[in-house]
Amino acid sequence: MPKISFTKNFATVDVPSGANLMQSLLQAGIPVASSCYGDGVCGKCRLEIVKGAENLSRPEVIEDIIRDRLKLAPGLRISCQTQ
């Protein structure tokens, strides 16, 4: 089972392959900022991917629109739009 590790609080979460990143974190009790509750509108749930980005889904149109609108740096992903 894949693992997500955090450099900020050193937590590690096991997640099933293909699981939504934001939902997996919330289910593990790790807070994720969001004002649209994962509808892919606000972009507040962005996370920096330090290592292992090749294991994530490719950005889809909604994520690309959010990333362009917010001018996000490479390595940041919108967690509600990422598996």
Side-chain angles (χ1 to χ4, degrees), residues 5-68:
S5 299
F6 296 87
T7 56
K8 188 172 185 177
N9 64 6
F10 303 106
T12 299
V13 177
D14 290 319
V15 298
S17 290
N20 177 274
L21 182 54
M22 180 181 181
Q23 292 304 315
S24 296
L25 298 175
L26 292 173
Q27 289 172 359
I30 297 173
V32 178
S34 174
S35 59
C36 70
Y37 305 102
D39 285 339
V41 177
C42 71
K44 292 181 180 178
C45 66
R46 61 186 169 255
L47 297 174
E48 181 181 10
I49 308 302
V50 177
K51 186 171 113 179
E54 67 276 4
N55 299 308
L56 300 175
S57 60
R58 291 181 176 261
E60 301 227 0
V61 174
I62 293 173
E63 185 175 2
D64 285 337
I65 291 169
I66 295 167
R67 291 173 48 77
D68 288 345

Side-chain angles (χ1 to χ4, degrees), residues 13 33 36 40 51 71 78 82-83:
V13 177
C36 70
K51 186 171 113 179
K71 297 176 178 44
I78 305 301
T82 305
Q83 285 77 38

